[in-house]
Amino acid sequence: MPPQPPPPFEHPQFVTRPLLPPLAEVMQALEPVWASGWLTNAGAAHQSLEARLQQLLGAPHLSLFGNGTLALLMGLRALGLKAGDGEVITTPFTFPATVHAIQWCGLTPVFADIHPHTLCLDPHSVAQRIGPRTVGILGVHVYGLPCDVQAFESLAARHRLALAYDGAHAFGTTIRGRPVAQWGDATMYSFHATKLFHTAEGGALAMRSAHTKQQVDLLKNFGIVDENTVAQPGINAKLNEMQAALGHVVLQHLEAERQRRQAIRARYEKGLQGVPGVRLLHMPEGVEDSLQYLVLRVASTPSQPRRDALHTALKRYNIITRRYFHPLCSTYPCYQGLPGAQPQDLPVAHQAGAEVLTLPFHGGLSEQDVDRIVQAIVFEMAALPD
Ligand code: T4K
């Protein structure tokens, strides 16, 4: 029998939904905050969450922030990268915040291509872009898939470059048992509502050295050392006590959410196996997954943009997929003139940008929801012209 279309969903099915613990638990966690009268500026909930996450993420040092973008920005500054003429090599296949952070530090982003399997920054392409003005490398563990951390470690050491990672999606990612937080000089995590672990808005920076932690802790609180001393032109990038309290509660529910996501992913894998023209991205051997996004690659060419056709068609079923990360950052009007931004310099990134589709993936989906989404994909792929 030819594939049949499922009925449309009554409510939109988004790529993600925040993990929402029972409200009563959140209220209970807020009680000591209220009783203390201390709402921000490194209060008790902030301190205990920082310590808990440092341990959980296996970070040598860790600081909390009001969001991931500020964590990245403060991290790049604290690593001592000189504004003005320094270049930082990065990927175009990412959320705008990665490249914006480099720009906001007064540094020049330089684009290099990505690896065809992991879709992370490719060390070989990076090596070709290193020049006299290069001061650092900023990789992205995109969708929680880790960069080739060993290759970057030797590249950075050989050329004496700072090495930072945007690990916005990489909460819990480990490589052969070793957490990603232990690679590079600094790794940023995002705790935005759309992330597996979240504090509504929030983020963290994991760091190799105690000196960098000391620097970012100053930078995120206006550069204030004490009542009499302001050491640096810092900014306000703090996480408040309500966010920290929420983080503690979300942590209690994280393992259950991870288990649900594992089961959902297995159901998608089974349903989409052998469907012509689509394949799911997989974690490489030895990698423990962050379970952040579920990404489909839809074979596409400029004359047959099947990914875009599927993205549009699924909206008829109220399935709101996203094309993370299309368009590439290198194509934004503000960045298209940067070194390495020409399409011929980034063939792998352009192909990936044309093929990826992020599917609904969160613990609130039932098995029936997944089956319905799969059925819609199967029906629409079969209906697309060859
Ligand atoms: N680096 C990378 C690689 C990143 O992906 C990000 C953020 C950053 C850096 C910066 O980290 P932060 O400074 O944000 O901590 C969303 C998130 O806002 C953003 O944090 C995230 N990456 C990005 C991949 O996704 P949008 O523009 O797609 O958000 P939006 O509002 O369209 O939300 C996506 C879907 O999530 C919605 O369709 C429905 C659902 N949703 C969203 C929110 C906010 C909910 O169900 N509830 C909610 O409260 O950027």
Side-chain angles (χ1 to χ4, degrees), residues 279 295-301 307-308 326 349-357:
R279 65 193 158 96
V295 182
L296 198 62
R297 278 193 85 155
V298 187
S300 298
T301 61
R307 188 279 312 273
D308 288 343
H326 167 86
H350 276 271
Q351 188 62 37
E355 293 194 345
V356 287
L357 196 64

Side-chain angles (χ1 to χ4, degrees), residues 306-354:
R306 305 170 106 212
R307 188 279 312 273
D308 288 343
L310 184 62
H311 172 67
T312 306
L314 291 175
K315 287 182 187 162
R316 290 201 299 271
Y317 302 88
N318 228 347
I319 302 169
I320 316 299
T321 59
R322 295 298 290 266
R323 295 171 298 175
Y324 295 138
F325 288 100
H326 167 86
L328 300 180
C329 295
S330 52
T331 66
Y332 303 166
C334 51
Y335 293 142
Q336 61 191 204
L338 286 174
Q342 295 308 305
Q344 66 269 23
D345 295 328
L346 305 165
V348 184
H350 276 271
Q351 188 62 37

Side-chain angles (χ1 to χ4, degrees), residues 274-299:
V275 176
V278 300
R279 65 193 158 96
L280 286 169
L281 275 194
H282 282 287
M283 287 289 142
E285 276 266 310
V287 171
E288 171 99 26
D289 192 349
S290 64
L291 296 159
Q292 177 58 57
Y293 291 112
L294 194 91
V295 182
L296 198 62
R297 278 193 85 155
V298 187

